[in-house]
Amino acid sequence: MKIAIPTDDQHTLAPRSGRSKWFMIFDIQDRKIIGTSINENTHDHSHDHSHHHEHGQAHDHAHGEHSHADMIQLLIGCDLMITKKVGPHFGQELKAAQIKIQITSENLILQVLKPYLD
């Protein structure tokens, strides 16, 4: 099983998955961590809908719609993401990629992994 955890410091869970600095991926087999990788979240966090369009200028996207495809690519092969919070759009894309979501209030990465380890 591969578990993804969004983090800003590689020790605690980030407050929000899509805005984390990294996704730590834990490969767990027989209740032991057999591999770990750290994928930098390069998703554009500066996307802002408070922009101005000149008269006659095209508006090329709908408000509230944006893609998280870059983050989904970082999580390919993961079975589960454990997070404190996930936005609705990212949550839909995770489900479409067949990555389950577990919401937790726990802060420490090692604590959220305990149920999956010896």
Side-chain angles (χ1 to χ4, degrees):
M1 166 181 254
K2 286 193 178 183
I3 300 175
I5 299 179
T7 183
D8 292 328
D9 61 9
Q10 300 179 24
H11 299 286
T12 60
L13 279 80
R16 188 160 176 199
S17 55
R19 298 188 181 272
S20 66
K21 288 183 183 178
W22 300 286
F23 291 102
M24 291 188 74
I25 312 296
F26 295 89
D27 191 354
I28 298 172
Q29 289 184 8
D30 298 322
R31 302 190 61 80
K32 296 189 183 339
I33 298 172
I34 62 164
T36 304
S37 61
I38 301 169
N39 296 340
E40 183 179 2
N41 182 4
T42 58
H43 185 68
D44 179 10
H45 301 196
S46 64
H47 188 78
D48 183 8
H49 286 288
S50 61
H51 49 267
H52 176 73
H53 295 279
E54 295 297 325
H55 181 72
Q57 220 176 8
H59 187 111
D60 63 354
H61 64 277
H63 287 279
E65 292 183 16
H66 53 280
S67 174
H68 297 91
D70 52 342
M71 288 191 293
I72 295 295
Q73 287 300 311
L74 297 173
L75 303 173
I76 293 296
C78 290
D79 303 292
L80 172 68
M81 183 170 73
I82 303 174
T83 183
K84 294 181 82 105
K85 184 175 182 181
V86 64
H89 297 288
F90 188 31
Q92 289 173 352
E93 292 183 47
L94 285 166
K95 287 178 186 174
Q98 299 181 356
I99 300 169
K100 294 177 184 160
I101 303 165
Q102 178 183 326
I103 303 296
T104 184
S105 60
E106 181 59 58
N107 288 318
L108 297 175
I109 291 172
L110 291 178
Q111 285 298 104
V112 298
L113 290 175
K114 269 189 177 183
Y116 302 95
L117 304 172
D118 280 335

